[in-house]
Amino acid sequence: MKITEVRMFPKNEEKLKAYAAVTFDGCFVVHNLRIVKGEKGLMVCMPSRKKNDGTFKDIAHPITNDFRGELEALVLKAYEEKLKETEMQA
């Protein structure tokens, strides 16, 4: 399975920096990945839903660490590119 597209939707909030939609093999998309600013820098959070007890549970996530690394790298790269594009337009 290959990541064929990453679309970025920037947000101007303190912690939430953007939402992303990732397309796999040109035929399956996962929406609502979040790029958030954490204590150690930017990180990618998987789509999740709030449970009755107030905790959150991922509804889609990578199974292997290798694929998680690949996904996070591509999403963060797309975020950085979107920032540069936005700066150039300003």
Side-chain angles (χ1 to χ4, degrees):
M1 181 176 294
K2 292 187 181 183
I3 297 168
T4 52
E5 182 181 19
V6 178
R7 287 176 290 154
M8 202 57 51
F9 306 94
K11 298 292 177 187
N12 192 17
E13 298 180 17
E14 184 179 341
K15 290 190 178 188
L16 177 63
K17 299 303 178 184
Y19 285 102
V22 179
T23 304
F24 299 90
D25 290 336
C27 62
F28 186 82
V29 66
V30 176
H31 294 278
N32 294 332
L33 282 81
R34 296 176 318 283
I35 292 83
V36 297
K37 183 178 178 183
E39 292 178 10
K40 298 180 180 179
L42 295 176
M43 62 184 176
V44 178
C45 298
M46 296 300 125
S48 61
R49 67 176 175 86
K50 192 172 187 178
K51 295 171 42 177
N52 291 336
D53 64 4
T55 61
F56 288 87
K57 180 174 177 81
D58 287 351
I59 55 174
H61 58 87
I63 300 291
T64 66
N65 285 334
D66 287 342
F67 189 71
R68 178 178 294 276
E70 178 183 343
L71 176 62
E72 289 176 349
L74 287 172
V75 169
L76 291 174
K77 179 181 176 190
Y79 174 70
E80 295 296 332
E81 289 172 357
K82 187 68 169 184
L83 283 182
K84 288 178 187 175
E85 175 185 314
T86 303
E87 288 174 2
M88 290 175 61
Q89 293 175 354

